[in-house]
Amino acid sequence: MFKQERSQTRKTRQMLASGARFTYDDEPYPTRLNFYRDPPALEISIEEFEQFALDRMQVLTALQTAQMRNLPPDQMDKAVGDAIRKYMPMSPNNGNNGMTHGQLMDERRKDHVSHFILRLAYSRSQELRQWFLRAECALFRYRFEKESLKEQLEFLEKQNLTWKKVSDDDKRLLRDKLKASSPFKAQNVDDETFFEVDFERVCGLVGKRQVYVHAGKAFVPLADQVVLVLDEFRERLTQALEVTGRALPRMDEDNRLMPVLNNINKQYLGREFTTSAVAGEIQAQDVDALKIHMPLCMEHLHDELRREKHTKHGGRMQYGLFLKGIGLSLEQALIFWQTAFANKTPDEFNKQYAYNVRHSYGMEGKRTDYTPYSCKSIIMGSAPGAGDHHGCPFRHFSAPSLRAKLASKQVDEFDTEDILGLVSAKHYQIACTRYYEVTRARMIGGSPDTLRGGSGSALAGGGEFKVASQEQIEHPNQFFEQSYKLMQHKSTTGGTGDETEAPLDPTIKGRYTYKKVGGPSIANNDMEM
């Protein structure tokens, strides 16, 4: 699939040598849009193979998250646009961006290659294929709607689509019906282009009564062509994924690519939380007071630890590394755990548990400096058994238990149903994000929309409280740091109506800046690949 297509390269060199003028039709990527019909014919390194896939995953995840969180159009456009510009920029053909022809082709080639890499990675099961299909359709629609009409038509002309164009004579016969079915009653039907297609292909428009239907055919105006194009894209990609899924077993013996393909959907793409802590170096006795900023998983572990005065290995690892990430040093960690295990004598604690604490800080064994678990690691890790308290409440709690837990946190019935709906759809991290918005909005006296960026809403004491736009929760320590910064800002402004933007650093994946108490800012650009 990635063998260099030498004939195309020779043709390009011949054109350059002869002084011929280059046009975009001479390349396989004349526009930014692509139906991905043919696999790419080029060579890339294993490192590029993985990086291209992860970059595309960043874009797809940002788009899916924005849709699931029901962000307003302007905020959604900003979130998705920022991800595209950072990970997979796609420049237009207008020549006003300072890009050379080669740079344009490189951008589009990366888009082409990364799609096929993820197609391989997400063809292994029906569930993965469905996720990839939804994500790619959403990305294609976003890009199509951002293109100019000229670029859209140029792209469609090259696809050999089998849509029947309604003739002028038929339009005159159906003028009144076409005009009545249009959402824009005053539009000039004679100047509009209509396509005749099977009504099953545009069920959404039929359901909204935006197209005229006769004898099983729907008459779709050009303004709604995105529905037809998206249906065509979905149909082709569905068939391609099934073919890829049948062919994938042939690659099982490829020791270079299969490990990458098998782990792409499990990758945590955010920041590793090490010793940089927004709360500075905390003491063992501070942990109880900081519980208010903990995510539900860590708060549950803390409560059960205090209640039982003990927790099993899975809980100690999950909670211990979280505490390490928020600024608990090894010395203070030993004090904290020994105090928490009140039923154990100092000698028993030193013999049974102290080694594991030192080991997690990289002071024993292989001396690996372990980092706190990400949400994905917790969700996909071992499920808690009897007597265990680790795991993710949104993933591992039963619906009644989760409902009761949310009620104990004063989450109202409407928001509880919203969160449970996300959980039932297996959007566990988005459910946690929603929990963050609801509970932290109550803490600052605003509405959940306040934490989604933008202007926010009025505080209980009057005025407006603005905070930096928040990303999806992908790490328990990210939850803690956002909550801590939010309350620090509230205590600084006092909720007096200060309308200046909060001086919080945006929590964009891979770009975090934290300030340690009594020390300079520490920039951390680490990304776990």
Side-chain angles (χ1 to χ4, degrees), residues 38-95:
D38 303 315
L42 53 91
E43 293 179 351
I44 62 173
S45 66
I46 295 296
E47 290 75 16
E48 288 178 312
F49 186 92
E50 183 174 16
Q51 189 60 54
F52 283 8
L54 294 178
D55 285 349
R56 192 178 192 89
M57 278 295 299
Q58 293 277 17
V59 174
L60 296 179
T61 302
L63 179 55
Q64 184 193 48
T65 300
Q67 290 178 331
M68 290 303 304
R69 294 181 64 193
N70 295 320
L71 294 179
D74 57 334
Q75 293 180 30
M76 178 175 174
D77 190 54
K78 182 180 185 304
V80 178
D82 287 347
I84 289 176
R85 284 187 291 273
K86 180 178 178 182
Y87 297 106
M88 292 195 63
M90 295 278 278
S91 304
N93 293 339
N94 56 28

Side-chain angles (χ1 to χ4, degrees), residues 271 273-280 282 319-328 361 370-372 475 477 480-481:
R271 170 194 166 227
F273 289 78
T274 53
T275 57
S276 177
V278 69
I282 65 174
Y319 191 44
L321 292 176
F322 167 80
L323 293 177
K324 175 185 176 183
I326 69 172
L328 193 67
Y361 279 77
Y370 294 95
T371 56
H475 201 293
N477 292 72
F480 176 90
E481 295 198 355

Side-chain angles (χ1 to χ4, degrees), residues 8-28:
Q8 180 66 35
T9 303
R10 284 197 298 270
K11 177 184 175 183
T12 301
R13 289 175 178 171
Q14 289 169 1
M15 291 184 65
L16 290 172
S18 64
R21 188 176 183 273
F22 239 125
T23 67
Y24 289 102
D25 291 334
D26 297 318
E27 288 289 344

Side-chain angles (χ1 to χ4, degrees), residues 164-168 170-171 174 178 193-196 219:
K164 180 183 176 182
K165 185 177 179 181
V166 179
S167 66
D168 291 338
D170 289 339
K171 277 199 298 183
L174 300 172
L178 293 176
T193 300
F194 286 84
F195 299 98
E196 181 181 339
F219 295 82

Side-chain angles (χ1 to χ4, degrees), residues 170 173-182 194-197 199 202 205-206 209-221:
D170 289 339
L173 292 174
L174 300 172
R175 179 188 289 112
D176 293 339
K177 293 183 174 65
L178 293 176
K179 186 175 182 179
S181 63
S182 171
F194 286 84
F195 299 98
E196 181 181 339
V197 299
F199 80 92
V202 288
L205 295 177
V206 173
R209 299 189 178 187
Q210 292 183 356
V211 292
Y212 172 62
V213 180
H214 176 71
K217 300 293 183 180
F219 295 82
V220 183

Side-chain angles (χ1 to χ4, degrees), residues 282-284 328-337 357 361:
I282 65 174
Q283 304 297 308
L328 193 67
S329 66
L330 173 58
E331 179 185 1
Q332 291 299 314
L334 289 168
I335 296 173
F336 170 80
W337 286 106
V357 176
Y361 279 77

